[in-house]
Amino acid sequence: DTEVTQTPKHLVMGMTNKKSLKCEQHMGHRAMYWYKQKAKKPPELMFVYSYEKLSINESVPSRFSPECPNSSLLNLHLHALQPEDSALYLCASSPGSGSGRDTQYFGPGTRLTVL
Amino acid sequence: RKEVEQDPGPFNVPEGATVAFNCTYSNSASQSFFWYRQDCRKEPKLLMSVYSSGNEDGRFTAQLNRASQYISLLIRDSKLSDSATYLCVVPSTASKLTFGTGTRLQVTL
């Protein structure tokens, strides 16, 4: 089973709202990722968790706050977002072997609209 | 040179045609390469991994040319369902992937 699930599928929020995106995998993977994708562009890496510790933050604004409660779950907390943050937010996971050969498996994404 | 470079297309081909995409990469130390397929408004899905000279899976063949630092994807007998964006992906570190901009393929009747 190579499934990564994400909720919600769609989210509309105002600039003063606080919301959270959720991601789950049951493949025993030890690395999890958040990406942001705008239309007609490739995914852009935001955060990487390796063995439940934040290992990469690609200079993401603090209005995005990641959390990894356990090895199967990854959350992205959103607060005071801007309209330009509207995008598809993708979660991915990989075995986390550190070999550089790991395949990343993507979830279906959350389509976020900030009004 | 960009880290990973692809022709954005679109490539418009008739059903049954053979089409090939190239992708060039700048890091000569890269050891593994991936082709992902992404349908409109959907997530990227792994199509093929390439670790040595190439890989074949049915109608799809990926070739790696380390001397010239490019990877190609060949699709034979194109189907309408092959219409998608094909992303060339090269790991830049153990946990970080570099994506090409993607090549859009449209297969027509």
mmCIF file of all heavy atoms in Angstrom, chain A residues 33 35 37 42-43 45 56 58 90 98 100-104 106-108 111, chain B residues 32 34 36 38 41-44 46 49 51 91 94-97 99-101:
data_model
loop_
_atom_site.group_PDB
_atom_site.id
_atom_site.type_symbol
_atom_site.label_atom_id
_atom_site.label_comp_id
_atom_site.label_asym_id
_atom_site.label_seq_id
_atom_site.Cartn_x
_atom_site.Cartn_y
_atom_site.Cartn_z
ATOM 1 N N TYR A 33 7.145 15.149 4.276
ATOM 2 C CA TYR A 33 7.435 16.413 3.607
ATOM 3 C C TYR A 33 6.160 17.226 3.403
ATOM 4 O O TYR A 33 5.088 16.663 3.166
ATOM 5 C CB TYR A 33 8.024 16.148 2.206
ATOM 6 C CG TYR A 33 9.150 15.150 2.163
ATOM 7 C CD1 TYR A 33 8.895 13.779 2.217
ATOM 8 C CD2 TYR A 33 10.480 15.573 2.044
ATOM 9 C CE1 TYR A 33 9.932 12.856 2.169
ATOM 10 C CE2 TYR A 33 11.515 14.657 1.989
ATOM 11 C CZ TYR A 33 11.234 13.309 2.053
ATOM 12 O OH TYR A 33 12.268 12.397 2.006
ATOM 13 N N TYR A 35 4.972 20.251 0.699
ATOM 14 C CA TYR A 35 5.267 21.020 -0.503
ATOM 15 C C TYR A 35 4.114 21.980 -0.772
ATOM 16 O O TYR A 35 2.968 21.698 -0.442
ATOM 17 C CB TYR A 35 5.371 20.105 -1.729
ATOM 18 C CG TYR A 35 6.591 19.229 -1.806
ATOM 19 C CD1 TYR A 35 6.608 17.982 -1.188
ATOM 20 C CD2 TYR A 35 7.711 19.620 -2.535
ATOM 21 C CE1 TYR A 35 7.712 17.156 -1.288
ATOM 22 C CE2 TYR A 35 8.827 18.799 -2.645
ATOM 23 C CZ TYR A 35 8.821 17.570 -2.013
ATOM 24 O OH TYR A 35 9.917 16.752 -2.119
ATOM 25 N N GLN A 37 2.420 23.941 -4.166
ATOM 26 C CA GLN A 37 2.451 23.977 -5.626
ATOM 27 C C GLN A 37 1.460 24.986 -6.164
ATOM 28 O O GLN A 37 0.260 24.900 -5.918
ATOM 29 C CB GLN A 37 2.157 22.590 -6.215
ATOM 30 C CG GLN A 37 2.362 22.530 -7.721
ATOM 31 C CD GLN A 37 2.216 21.138 -8.300
ATOM 32 O OE1 GLN A 37 1.551 20.288 -7.740
ATOM 33 N NE2 GLN A 37 2.860 20.909 -9.441
ATOM 34 N N PRO A 42 6.250 23.500 -10.713
ATOM 35 C CA PRO A 42 6.532 22.257 -9.985
ATOM 36 C C PRO A 42 6.344 22.457 -8.482
ATOM 37 O O PRO A 42 6.298 23.607 -8.018
ATOM 38 C CB PRO A 42 8.010 21.992 -10.315
ATOM 39 C CG PRO A 42 8.574 23.330 -10.627
ATOM 40 C CD PRO A 42 7.471 24.136 -11.237
ATOM 41 N N PRO A 43 6.243 21.375 -7.733
ATOM 42 C CA PRO A 43 6.134 21.518 -6.269
ATOM 43 C C PRO A 43 7.375 22.190 -5.685
ATOM 44 O O PRO A 43 8.495 21.946 -6.136
ATOM 45 C CB PRO A 43 6.029 20.063 -5.780
ATOM 46 C CG PRO A 43 5.560 19.287 -6.965
ATOM 47 C CD PRO A 43 6.143 19.972 -8.153
ATOM 48 N N LEU A 45 9.471 22.633 -2.130
ATOM 49 C CA LEU A 45 9.626 22.066 -0.788
ATOM 50 C C LEU A 45 9.464 23.158 0.266
ATOM 51 O O LEU A 45 10.003 24.261 0.131
ATOM 52 C CB LEU A 45 11.004 21.420 -0.666
ATOM 53 C CG LEU A 45 11.299 20.707 0.648
ATOM 54 C CD1 LEU A 45 10.387 19.487 0.833
ATOM 55 C CD2 LEU A 45 12.767 20.290 0.711
ATOM 56 N N ILE A 56 14.556 20.076 7.687
ATOM 57 C CA ILE A 56 14.695 21.138 6.687
ATOM 58 C C ILE A 56 13.499 22.091 6.796
ATOM 59 O O ILE A 56 12.356 21.655 6.857
ATOM 60 C CB ILE A 56 14.764 20.573 5.244
ATOM 61 C CG1 ILE A 56 16.024 19.723 5.057
ATOM 62 C CG2 ILE A 56 14.729 21.715 4.223
ATOM 63 C CD1 ILE A 56 16.136 19.077 3.672
ATOM 64 N N GLU A 58 12.615 25.391 4.521
ATOM 65 C CA GLU A 58 13.094 26.164 3.379
ATOM 66 C C GLU A 58 12.719 27.631 3.523
ATOM 67 O O GLU A 58 12.082 28.226 2.635
ATOM 68 C CB GLU A 58 12.526 25.583 2.079
ATOM 69 C CG GLU A 58 13.082 24.221 1.707
ATOM 70 C CD GLU A 58 14.518 24.303 1.208
ATOM 71 O OE1 GLU A 58 14.727 24.546 0.015
ATOM 72 O OE2 GLU A 58 15.433 24.094 2.029
ATOM 73 N N LEU A 90 0.840 19.828 -0.823
ATOM 74 C CA LEU A 90 1.068 18.393 -0.974
ATOM 75 C C LEU A 90 1.910 17.872 0.178
ATOM 76 O O LEU A 90 2.915 18.483 0.560
ATOM 77 C CB LEU A 90 1.812 18.114 -2.284
ATOM 78 C CG LEU A 90 1.060 18.394 -3.577
ATOM 79 C CD1 LEU A 90 2.032 18.550 -4.739
ATOM 80 C CD2 LEU A 90 0.065 17.288 -3.869
ATOM 81 N N GLY A 98 18.113 7.774 3.793
ATOM 82 C CA GLY A 98 19.270 8.649 3.678
ATOM 83 C C GLY A 98 20.171 8.297 2.509
ATOM 84 O O GLY A 98 21.252 8.864 2.354
ATOM 85 N N GLY A 100 19.519 8.682 -0.729
ATOM 86 C CA GLY A 100 19.325 9.488 -1.928
ATOM 87 C C GLY A 100 18.570 8.734 -3.013
ATOM 88 O O GLY A 100 18.314 9.279 -4.083
ATOM 89 N N ARG A 101 18.232 7.467 -2.753
ATOM 90 C CA ARG A 101 17.491 6.678 -3.735
ATOM 91 C C ARG A 101 16.030 6.501 -3.332
ATOM 92 O O ARG A 101 15.284 5.815 -4.008
ATOM 93 C CB ARG A 101 18.114 5.294 -3.882
ATOM 94 C CG ARG A 101 19.475 5.317 -4.516
ATOM 95 C CD ARG A 101 19.970 3.921 -4.796
ATOM 96 N NE ARG A 101 21.033 3.944 -5.782
ATOM 97 C CZ ARG A 101 21.297 2.962 -6.625
ATOM 98 N NH1 ARG A 101 20.568 1.871 -6.615
ATOM 99 N NH2 ARG A 101 22.287 3.052 -7.492
ATOM 100 N N ASP A 102 15.640 7.077 -2.216
ATOM 101 C CA ASP A 102 14.277 6.894 -1.735
ATOM 102 C C ASP A 102 13.272 7.548 -2.660
ATOM 103 O O ASP A 102 13.468 8.682 -3.095
ATOM 104 C CB ASP A 102 14.112 7.512 -0.340
ATOM 105 C CG ASP A 102 14.730 6.668 0.740
ATOM 106 O OD1 ASP A 102 15.200 5.536 0.443
ATOM 107 O OD2 ASP A 102 14.730 7.123 1.891
ATOM 108 N N THR A 103 12.198 6.849 -2.930
ATOM 109 C CA THR A 103 11.089 7.406 -3.695
ATOM 110 C C THR A 103 10.167 8.145 -2.738
ATOM 111 O O THR A 103 9.863 7.645 -1.654
ATOM 112 C CB THR A 103 10.302 6.278 -4.381
ATOM 113 O OG1 THR A 103 11.177 5.580 -5.262
ATOM 114 C CG2 THR A 103 9.129 6.835 -5.168
ATOM 115 N N GLN A 104 9.732 9.321 -3.146
ATOM 116 C CA GLN A 104 8.737 10.051 -2.365
ATOM 117 C C GLN A 104 7.355 9.767 -2.945
ATOM 118 O O GLN A 104 7.163 9.834 -4.157
ATOM 119 C CB GLN A 104 9.017 11.550 -2.394
ATOM 120 C CG GLN A 104 10.243 11.932 -1.592
ATOM 121 C CD GLN A 104 10.405 13.435 -1.444
ATOM 122 O OE1 GLN A 104 9.450 14.193 -1.557
ATOM 123 N NE2 GLN A 104 11.623 13.860 -1.167
ATOM 124 N N PHE A 106 3.393 10.902 -2.883
ATOM 125 C CA PHE A 106 2.614 12.099 -2.590
ATOM 126 C C PHE A 106 1.177 11.769 -2.233
ATOM 127 O O PHE A 106 0.577 10.849 -2.786
ATOM 128 C CB PHE A 106 2.614 13.036 -3.802
ATOM 129 C CG PHE A 106 3.926 13.725 -4.020
ATOM 130 C CD1 PHE A 106 4.949 13.098 -4.704
ATOM 131 C CD2 PHE A 106 4.148 15.009 -3.526
ATOM 132 C CE1 PHE A 106 6.180 13.721 -4.895
ATOM 133 C CE2 PHE A 106 5.368 15.644 -3.714
ATOM 134 C CZ PHE A 106 6.378 14.992 -4.400
ATOM 135 N N GLY A 107 0.629 12.556 -1.318
ATOM 136 C CA GLY A 107 -0.798 12.525 -1.063
ATOM 137 C C GLY A 107 -1.543 13.327 -2.114
ATOM 138 O O GLY A 107 -0.917 14.014 -2.931
ATOM 139 N N PRO A 108 -2.891 13.272 -2.097
ATOM 140 C CA PRO A 108 -3.690 13.949 -3.119
ATOM 141 C C PRO A 108 -3.712 15.468 -2.974
ATOM 142 O O PRO A 108 -4.139 16.166 -3.889
ATOM 143 C CB PRO A 108 -5.097 13.379 -2.926
ATOM 144 C CG PRO A 108 -5.112 12.929 -1.512
ATOM 145 C CD PRO A 108 -3.732 12.496 -1.181
ATOM 146 N N ARG A 111 -6.334 21.676 -1.537
ATOM 147 C CA ARG A 111 -6.396 22.904 -2.337
ATOM 148 C C ARG A 111 -6.868 24.027 -1.428
ATOM 149 O O ARG A 111 -8.003 24.011 -0.963
ATOM 150 C CB ARG A 111 -7.323 22.729 -3.533
ATOM 151 C CG ARG A 111 -7.226 23.884 -4.512
ATOM 152 C CD ARG A 111 -7.693 23.513 -5.911
ATOM 153 N NE ARG A 111 -6.891 22.469 -6.543
ATOM 154 C CZ ARG A 111 -5.717 22.668 -7.132
ATOM 155 N NH1 ARG A 111 -5.189 23.878 -7.171
ATOM 156 N NH2 ARG A 111 -5.084 21.673 -7.697
ATOM 157 N N SER B 32 20.587 8.931 -8.622
ATOM 158 C CA SER B 32 19.262 8.401 -8.918
ATOM 159 C C SER B 32 18.400 9.487 -9.530
ATOM 160 O O SER B 32 18.638 10.681 -9.305
ATOM 161 C CB SER B 32 18.606 7.839 -7.645
ATOM 162 O OG SER B 32 18.596 8.806 -6.632
ATOM 163 N N PHE B 34 14.228 10.288 -11.237
ATOM 164 C CA PHE B 34 12.837 9.846 -11.230
ATOM 165 C C PHE B 34 12.055 10.586 -12.293
ATOM 166 O O PHE B 34 12.291 11.773 -12.550
ATOM 167 C CB PHE B 34 12.189 10.128 -9.859
ATOM 168 C CG PHE B 34 12.937 9.509 -8.703
ATOM 169 C CD1 PHE B 34 13.865 10.244 -7.984
ATOM 170 C CD2 PHE B 34 12.692 8.199 -8.318
ATOM 171 C CE1 PHE B 34 14.558 9.682 -6.913
ATOM 172 C CE2 PHE B 34 13.370 7.633 -7.252
ATOM 173 C CZ PHE B 34 14.305 8.376 -6.556
ATOM 174 N N TYR B 36 8.087 11.513 -12.716
ATOM 175 C CA TYR B 36 6.755 11.520 -12.128
ATOM 176 C C TYR B 36 5.783 12.010 -13.185
ATOM 177 O O TYR B 36 6.125 12.851 -14.029
ATOM 178 C CB TYR B 36 6.676 12.471 -10.918
ATOM 179 C CG TYR B 36 7.233 11.927 -9.621
ATOM 180 C CD1 TYR B 36 8.603 11.895 -9.385
ATOM 181 C CD2 TYR B 36 6.382 11.480 -8.607
ATOM 182 C CE1 TYR B 36 9.105 11.420 -8.191
ATOM 183 C CE2 TYR B 36 6.880 11.004 -7.401
ATOM 184 C CZ TYR B 36 8.249 10.979 -7.209
ATOM 185 O OH TYR B 36 8.749 10.511 -6.004
ATOM 186 N N GLN B 38 2.061 13.938 -13.563
ATOM 187 C CA GLN B 38 1.080 14.720 -12.808
ATOM 188 C C GLN B 38 -0.074 15.107 -13.717
ATOM 189 O O GLN B 38 0.133 15.796 -14.727
ATOM 190 C CB GLN B 38 1.714 15.972 -12.181
ATOM 191 C CG GLN B 38 0.748 16.700 -11.249
ATOM 192 C CD GLN B 38 1.402 17.777 -10.406
ATOM 193 O OE1 GLN B 38 2.425 18.340 -10.784
ATOM 194 N NE2 GLN B 38 0.809 18.081 -9.252
ATOM 195 N N ARG B 41 -4.464 19.208 -11.643
ATOM 196 C CA ARG B 41 -5.067 19.357 -10.319
ATOM 197 C C ARG B 41 -4.971 18.088 -9.461
ATOM 198 O O ARG B 41 -5.774 17.894 -8.544
ATOM 199 C CB ARG B 41 -6.522 19.816 -10.437
ATOM 200 C CG ARG B 41 -6.655 21.160 -11.155
ATOM 201 C CD ARG B 41 -8.096 21.556 -11.356
ATOM 202 N NE ARG B 41 -8.759 21.944 -10.106
ATOM 203 C CZ ARG B 41 -8.679 23.144 -9.573
ATOM 204 N NH1 ARG B 41 -7.955 24.091 -10.146
ATOM 205 N NH2 ARG B 41 -9.319 23.426 -8.447
ATOM 206 N N LYS B 42 -4.008 17.227 -9.788
ATOM 207 C CA LYS B 42 -3.788 16.017 -9.001
ATOM 208 C C LYS B 42 -2.348 16.012 -8.489
ATOM 209 O O LYS B 42 -1.550 16.865 -8.854
ATOM 210 C CB LYS B 42 -4.001 14.767 -9.853
ATOM 211 C CG LYS B 42 -5.377 14.651 -10.437
ATOM 212 C CD LYS B 42 -6.337 14.083 -9.447
ATOM 213 C CE LYS B 42 -7.653 13.721 -10.101
ATOM 214 N NZ LYS B 42 -8.626 13.235 -9.125
ATOM 215 N N GLU B 43 -2.020 15.013 -7.657
ATOM 216 C CA GLU B 43 -0.679 14.927 -7.120
ATOM 217 C C GLU B 43 0.272 14.256 -8.104
ATOM 218 O O GLU B 43 -0.153 13.456 -8.940
ATOM 219 C CB GLU B 43 -0.682 14.149 -5.789
ATOM 220 C CG GLU B 43 -0.825 12.627 -5.914
ATOM 221 C CD GLU B 43 -2.269 12.172 -5.995
ATOM 222 O OE1 GLU B 43 -3.152 12.954 -6.406
ATOM 223 O OE2 GLU B 43 -2.489 10.999 -5.640
ATOM 224 N N PRO B 44 1.584 14.515 -7.982
ATOM 225 C CA PRO B 44 2.559 13.771 -8.789
ATOM 226 C C PRO B 44 2.555 12.295 -8.394
ATOM 227 O O PRO B 44 2.488 11.966 -7.213
ATOM 228 C CB PRO B 44 3.899 14.420 -8.424
ATOM 229 C CG PRO B 44 3.553 15.731 -7.800
ATOM 230 C CD PRO B 44 2.234 15.526 -7.132
ATOM 231 N N LEU B 46 4.686 8.581 -9.096
ATOM 232 C CA LEU B 46 5.910 8.024 -9.634
ATOM 233 C C LEU B 46 5.619 7.181 -10.864
ATOM 234 O O LEU B 46 4.762 6.296 -10.840
ATOM 235 C CB LEU B 46 6.602 7.162 -8.575
ATOM 236 C CG LEU B 46 7.905 6.526 -9.053
ATOM 237 C CD1 LEU B 46 8.982 7.604 -9.205
ATOM 238 C CD2 LEU B 46 8.367 5.445 -8.085
ATOM 239 N N SER B 49 11.736 4.966 -11.822
ATOM 240 C CA SER B 49 12.992 5.315 -11.156
ATOM 241 C C SER B 49 14.123 4.861 -12.065
ATOM 242 O O SER B 49 14.003 3.833 -12.737
ATOM 243 C CB SER B 49 13.118 4.585 -9.821
ATOM 244 O OG SER B 49 11.973 4.782 -9.039
ATOM 245 N N TYR B 51 18.298 4.195 -11.870
ATOM 246 C CA TYR B 51 19.494 4.175 -11.039
ATOM 247 C C TYR B 51 20.747 3.847 -11.843
ATOM 248 O O TYR B 51 21.844 4.202 -11.463
ATOM 249 C CB TYR B 51 19.350 3.150 -9.912
ATOM 250 C CG TYR B 51 18.151 3.399 -9.035
ATOM 251 C CD1 TYR B 51 17.140 2.455 -8.908
ATOM 252 C CD2 TYR B 51 18.018 4.593 -8.336
ATOM 253 C CE1 TYR B 51 16.037 2.688 -8.103
ATOM 254 C CE2 TYR B 51 16.923 4.835 -7.533
ATOM 255 C CZ TYR B 51 15.936 3.874 -7.419
ATOM 256 O OH TYR B 51 14.837 4.107 -6.619
ATOM 257 N N PRO B 91 17.352 13.984 -7.046
ATOM 258 C CA PRO B 91 17.665 14.329 -5.652
ATOM 259 C C PRO B 91 18.875 15.254 -5.605
ATOM 260 O O PRO B 91 19.900 14.987 -6.248
ATOM 261 C CB PRO B 91 17.978 12.985 -5.005
ATOM 262 C CG PRO B 91 17.322 11.968 -5.881
ATOM 263 C CD PRO B 91 17.400 12.521 -7.262
ATOM 264 N N ALA B 94 20.087 13.853 0.244
ATOM 265 C CA ALA B 94 19.433 12.589 0.597
ATOM 266 C C ALA B 94 17.926 12.760 0.772
ATOM 267 O O ALA B 94 17.170 11.826 0.555
ATOM 268 C CB ALA B 94 20.050 12.015 1.863
ATOM 269 N N SER B 95 17.496 13.952 1.183
ATOM 270 C CA SER B 95 16.060 14.113 1.440
ATOM 271 C C SER B 95 15.424 15.229 0.627
ATOM 272 O O SER B 95 14.261 15.535 0.820
ATOM 273 C CB SER B 95 15.812 14.353 2.934
ATOM 274 O OG SER B 95 16.616 15.394 3.412
ATOM 275 N N LYS B 96 16.142 15.836 -0.269
ATOM 276 C CA LYS B 96 15.601 16.968 -1.017
ATOM 277 C C LYS B 96 15.607 16.665 -2.505
ATOM 278 O O LYS B 96 16.642 16.293 -3.067
ATOM 279 C CB LYS B 96 16.449 18.202 -0.728
ATOM 280 C CG LYS B 96 15.831 19.494 -1.156
ATOM 281 C CD LYS B 96 16.656 20.658 -0.622
ATOM 282 C CE LYS B 96 16.231 21.943 -1.269
ATOM 283 N NZ LYS B 96 17.021 23.079 -0.825
ATOM 284 N N LEU B 97 14.430 16.810 -3.129
ATOM 285 C CA LEU B 97 14.307 16.573 -4.561
ATOM 286 C C LEU B 97 14.315 17.900 -5.310
ATOM 287 O O LEU B 97 13.759 18.889 -4.841
ATOM 288 C CB LEU B 97 12.995 15.859 -4.877
ATOM 289 C CG LEU B 97 12.758 14.497 -4.243
ATOM 290 C CD1 LEU B 97 11.383 13.965 -4.645
ATOM 291 C CD2 LEU B 97 13.852 13.529 -4.653
ATOM 292 N N PHE B 99 12.909 19.435 -8.751
ATOM 293 C CA PHE B 99 11.949 19.146 -9.818
ATOM 294 C C PHE B 99 12.267 19.989 -11.041
ATOM 295 O O PHE B 99 12.565 21.180 -10.919
ATOM 296 C CB PHE B 99 10.530 19.497 -9.365
ATOM 297 C CG PHE B 99 9.951 18.555 -8.349
ATOM 298 C CD1 PHE B 99 10.300 18.664 -7.013
ATOM 299 C CD2 PHE B 99 9.050 17.585 -8.722
ATOM 300 C CE1 PHE B 99 9.764 17.803 -6.071
ATOM 301 C CE2 PHE B 99 8.506 16.723 -7.781
ATOM 302 C CZ PHE B 99 8.866 16.829 -6.456
ATOM 303 N N GLY B 100 12.155 19.375 -12.213
ATOM 304 C CA GLY B 100 12.107 20.172 -13.426
ATOM 305 C C GLY B 100 10.762 20.858 -13.511
ATOM 306 O O GLY B 100 9.853 20.575 -12.735
ATOM 307 N N THR B 101 10.627 21.768 -14.467
ATOM 308 C CA THR B 101 9.375 22.516 -14.603
ATOM 309 C C THR B 101 8.261 21.657 -15.190
ATOM 310 O O THR B 101 7.113 22.048 -15.156
ATOM 311 C CB THR B 101 9.568 23.755 -15.479
ATOM 312 O OG1 THR B 101 10.198 23.347 -16.695
ATOM 313 C CG2 THR B 101 10.434 24.787 -14.791
#
